[in-house]
Amino acid sequence: MPALPAPGAGQVNEVWWISVIKALVIINLLMLTFAYMTWVERKVLARMQLRYGPNRAGPFGLLQPIADLVKLIRKESFFPASAVDILYIGAPVLSAFTALAVFSVIPFGPGWEVNGWTINGEVVNVPISLVLIFALSSLGIYGFIVGGWASDSKYALLGSMRTCAQMVSYEVSLTFAVLGVVIMGQSLSLVDIVHKQAETFWFFGPQFVGLLIFFIAGVAETNRPPFDLPEAETELVAGYHTEYSGMRFGLFQMGEYVNMITLSALAVTLFFGGWYGPYAPLGPLWFLLKLAVILFVFMWLRATLPRLRYDQLMRLGWKMLLPLATINAVVTAALVVAL
Amino acid sequence: MALAPERPRIYEGSRIPSPVPTMLQVPPDLRGSEDLLQVNFGPNHPSTHGVLRLIVDLHGEDVVGLNAVIGYLHTGFEKNMEAKTWWKAITYPERIDYLSFQNNELVFVLAIEKLLGLEVPEKATWMRMCLAELNRIHSHLVWLGTAALELGSISMFWYCFRERDSILDLYEMVCGARMHTRYFQAGGLAEDIPRGFFPDAREFVDWMPKAVDDYEGLVDKNEIWLERTKGIGLLSADDAIALGQSGPVLRGSGVDWDLRKSEPYLAYDQVDFSVPVYENGDVWDRYKVHMDEMRESTRIIAQCLDRLEGMEGQPWIADDRKVVLPPREELQTSMESLIHHFKIVTEGYRVPEGEIYVAVESARGELGCYVVSDGGPRPWRVKFRAPSFVALEATATCMTDALVADLIAIVGSLDTVMGEVDR
């Protein structure tokens, strides 16, 4: 195993244009991952449901995401006459933007040295990256709420009301669940937390409760089944994006999937040692592998579980997850101090 | 002209409340409140079965008012049947309840046979029973798949449709059509049972209980499914009877009433099966009734197959040339057969004057057929007692203290087919 860089290293010694290029690469990779996530999800779901999934566009339906993109772009972007213009158009942009921006602080590799130039394993390494992530994802909620409200439809309004309540409730648990990791890693920087895990052990063991809460709250936070109430199609047609079509709908969808990827990446970083593997320093490949496993669990859940009811969702969030997360954080703190 | 006496508000000694509570009224303290949101669920909505429209008053997530609007699928089947000969009208009932088609066909054919006083060969009776039970499973499978889909358990739909498809394959083998078979004729069956039917049907009978176990394995111990169904949409036994419920809804409310047991038709008195009854009257109990009925139906089919396999070579339709089409090969050689064939196909057979009500237990409950004949070649009047229509009346009663999500679960659990409601 190569020598570990000192905590906080790599914050300043990267040239700005390398960061710009890296940001471009990461965003495009992320979009590509999102596009092929939809393909993988449809394939996985189909296989679990005795179907074939997309298999017409290209070999194994591999061109399906591109076909979908072309279709969404060419489709008329229907605009309800009574919608509030700026908010209606801005909402999907906001949710897609924040979703993409969050990924900038996720470390995916140890950093490299090429021709004397230092390249870090993340786009930016801010010392408070965890706080930044939660701040940005809270901002992203506005996209869903405002979008649903501005489209002036009853279904959309109900959907955004649900989104509002659900995301606010689960974000609390999500944050509390991470506290244990922060205490054990003794840092808010994701890079430091990964290094700490490499030095000691991966946190999914000691922080098992935290991981469970984090994952459940994360599924709720990304509106994925069984917590997909905001867009429960059998109840609210399509929830907050009922009145959206074309690429605006596509942006919402992108925001949601990218959020899912980010959350899985965060889980990998916080609980599964980031880019470190049990053997062979493969760096980003290990990261991708772990990411894929967690994303698969998301899809698996969708194929298996029925949807929760609104009050049950709230009960689970406030009466079970939050107390558990709090206890977990307190116990972790006590143990860290004691040992 | 004497005026009709004014209708009493509540009938003495009757449990039927008047007016029947088919609407959920907004409580007085909430009327005109700004917090109320009136939302249309349907007629175009992902979760309504077909084209049911529910006008729902929402107070937050609570359903406080409910008004069901029906008639979007009214096709005038009953009126159309009056213009068709008895022979041709058989195709119509199947399309009324498009999931429980074989039972609908059966009830009309039984009515014709009773008016005609026609004896049906034993083989036809047992085959009818076999197909009616297959059809019950088919209908329950579609119900389970869509109801689970509405609760968000999306995979169940495809698992159910796998078994449904093998049932449809059996139908296809028997009569060429996958749905709306028109296999039952007045007097018996349209054709003999193909030999390949038995091994395939056996295979299905062996497989089906395992499939039901699979479905139950998927949801029965699932905490979310339990929370979504237990204690939701309560319908007490008294209410269920007062609202005229039948079938799984009634049996889910703890009333042991099944026409197959209480007034056996076909040969139901000669087969061994039990009627599942659950006490609580919630969505969960209705779900359990459906699951158990699928198992029981499989048992009945196995017994039918045992009998039918020993009946090879026996007649499958009554030998009454005035009603039943002559065999195809006779048309080349027999003048009388040709005349009979021509008369039945063009003019149709005549049914003696009279009226009759026949009821069978379809997949959704008591399916009744009231037929009046004026002695001509066409029915003078046909009226169906549709169990779906009756079940829909219970929606408002089930809906007390329900949330939006429960609304979907409850409407789903009542198992209404809009084609049958609107007819």
Side-chain angles (χ1 to χ4, degrees), chain B residues 265-327:
Chain B
Y265 52 97
L266 296 177
Y268 278 112
D269 46 353
Q270 295 170 48
V271 288
D272 174 37
F273 71 103
S274 58
V275 176
V277 178
Y278 284 83
E279 296 296 325
N280 300 324
D282 52 10
V283 175
W284 168 261
D285 281 7
R286 278 169 231 146
Y287 153 75
K288 284 310 268 185
V289 168
H290 279 99
M291 298 307 264
D292 289 1
E293 273 188 10
M294 281 199 256
R295 288 206 181 85
E296 292 303 322
S297 291
T298 315
R299 276 179 66 203
I300 299 178
I301 294 168
Q303 294 170 55
C304 291
L305 290 176
D306 290 343
R307 283 293 192 99
L308 283 167
E309 275 170 344
M311 290 186 197
E312 194 146 338
Q314 289 186 20
W316 63 88
I317 194 156
D319 189 23
D320 184 337
R321 288 297 161 87
K322 295 293 172 200
V323 179
V324 174
L325 282 179

Side-chain angles (χ1 to χ4, degrees), chain A residues 48-51 154-155 158 162 226 233-235 237 302-307 309-312 315, chain B residues 38-41 45-47 58 61 150-152 154-155 158-159 222 224 227-228 232 403 405-406 408:
Chain A
M48 288 180 177
Q49 294 166 345
L50 319 165
R51 300 183 285 126
K154 287 173 181 174
Y155 300 117
L158 276 172
R162 281 182 172 188
E233 58 183 22
T234 51
E235 293 157 30
V237 187
R302 177 166 175 199
T304 314
L305 293 177
R307 190 179 299 119
R309 207 175 59 194
Y310 185 71
D311 58 328
Q312 293 160 355
R315 201 166 60 224
Chain B
Q38 200 170 52
V39 182
N40 253 325
F41 279 79
H45 187 271
S47 79
L58 294 178
E61 288 270 332
E150 281 157 16
L151 293 186
I154 51 176
S155 296
W158 279 277
Y159 301 143
N222 188 325
I224 304 177
E227 289 229 3
R228 286 297 305 273
I232 307 296
L403 299 172
D406 296 336
I408 306 301

Side-chain angles (χ1 to χ4, degrees), chain B residues 86 347 349-354 372-380:
Chain B
W86 293 96
E347 192 197 331
Y349 48 78
R350 288 169 185 277
V351 171
E353 200 176 324
V372 185
S373 170
D374 60 353
R378 294 180 187 83
W380 188 80

Side-chain angles (χ1 to χ4, degrees), chain B residues 57 83 111 153 202 204 215 336:
Chain B
D57 291 294
S153 190
R202 284 277 176 209
F204 174 77
Y215 308 147
E336 283 82 18

Side-chain angles (χ1 to χ4, degrees), chain A residues 247-262:
Chain A
M247 205 51 214
R248 292 196 192 117
F249 161 75
L251 282 179
F252 266 136
Q253 210 63 357
M254 186 170 101
E256 203 178 302
Y257 273 87
V258 172
N259 270 339
M260 193 160 94
I261 297 171
T262 314

Side-chain angles (χ1 to χ4, degrees), chain B residues 191-245:
Chain B
E191 277 174 27
D192 199 359
I193 308 163
R195 274 198 196 156
F197 175 74
F198 293 111
D200 281 23
R202 284 277 176 209
E203 205 176 300
F204 174 77
V205 167
D206 290 340
W207 167 249
M208 193 59 207
K210 288 178 215 149
V212 179
D213 289 343
D214 268 2
Y215 308 147
E216 291 195 334
L218 197 59
V219 291
D220 255 22
K221 292 199 177 70
N222 188 325
E223 191 61 34
I224 304 177
W225 180 269
L226 294 176
E227 289 229 3
R228 286 297 305 273
T229 53
K230 283 208 165 166
I232 307 296
L234 291 168
L235 186 68
S236 69
D238 281 342
D239 281 349
I241 292 170
L243 285 160
Q245 298 303 316

